[in-house]
Amino acid sequence: HMAKIPQALHEAINTAHPKNVCLVGTVQPDGWAQVTPRGSLLVWDDETLAYWDRGRGKTFEAVRDGSKVMVFFRSPELREKGVLPKGGIARFYGTASVHSSGPLRDQVYDRIIPPEQKADSEKRGRAVLVKVERAEDLGGAPLE
C-alpha cells in the first residue's frame, strides 16, 4: 500500500533547505533511533522521496534495501497558509532502496540542490529512494 505525497507539498519539500531542512529518522542496529538532517531530500515522484547519502556516519551504515525510514518535514509558513494546519508538520513513513551505482543514482545526484552536490563534488555517496507507505499530519491523519 503506497501513500501519495500531496502535490501542495512537493515544492515546499524540494526547497526546504536551508530553512526547513527535512529530518530523516532511521533505526540503528542497536535499536536506537537516529535522526539526521538531509538537505538533499527531494520529491522523486508522487509516492517516493529521495536523498543523497554522502556516506559518513551511522545513518549510512543502518540504511539498506528494505530499511524503514521516516521523514519529518516542518514549515511554519505552510501552517500559516493552512496547507499543514497542525504545526506545519508532515511525516512520511516508507521503505528504502539503496542505489550505490547505476542510472538512478546519477539521476538523484543530478536533481539534488547545488550546495549538496558541492558537499560531495567527487560523487562518492549513494542515492536512497524511500517508497512512502504512510503520509500523515502531526495528529496522525492521512495527508490529503
Side-chain angles (χ1 to χ4, degrees):
H1 173 70
M2 294 300 134
K4 295 259 188 252
I5 301 157
Q7 196 67 45
L9 297 182
H10 288 208
E11 181 69 12
I13 291 170
N14 289 339
T15 58
H17 180 278
K19 194 173 174 190
N20 300 313
V21 173
C22 291
L23 302 177
V24 174
T26 55
V27 181
Q28 301 300 295
D30 61 9
W32 290 99
Q34 178 84 2
V35 178
T36 308
R38 289 277 174 221
S40 61
L41 196 115
L42 56 90
V43 177
W44 185 251
D45 63 33
D46 285 345
E47 298 176 343
T48 314
L49 295 165
Y51 66 89
W52 186 257
D53 190 338
R54 295 199 295 264
R56 298 181 204 55
K58 292 183 174 166
T59 304
F60 185 89
E61 294 159 23
V63 175
R64 308 202 181 318
D65 281 339
S67 291
K68 300 291 184 213
V69 175
M70 189 272 254
V71 174
F72 181 93
F73 169 73
R74 178 176 177 263
S75 168
E77 293 84 359
L78 292 186
R79 180 184 181 184
E80 290 159 23
K81 291 177 184 172
V83 176
L84 286 171
K86 295 188 184 210
I89 290 166
R91 289 188 180 117
F92 303 95
Y93 300 85
T95 304
S97 61
V98 176
H99 303 270
S100 299
S101 61
L104 253 176
R105 173 183 179 266
D106 297 337
Q107 289 165 27
V108 171
Y109 184 86
D110 290 344
R111 279 175 60 180
I112 63 174
I113 58 172
E116 287 292 319
Q117 289 178 337
K118 192 175 175 193
D120 188 6
S121 57
E122 294 180 13
K123 206 169 157 184
R124 291 183 173 166
R126 62 188 186 169
V128 178
L129 269 60
V130 180
K131 196 55 110 167
V132 176
E133 294 164 39
R134 284 166 39 214
E136 299 175 352
D137 71 12
L138 182 60
L143 294 174
E144 299 301 321

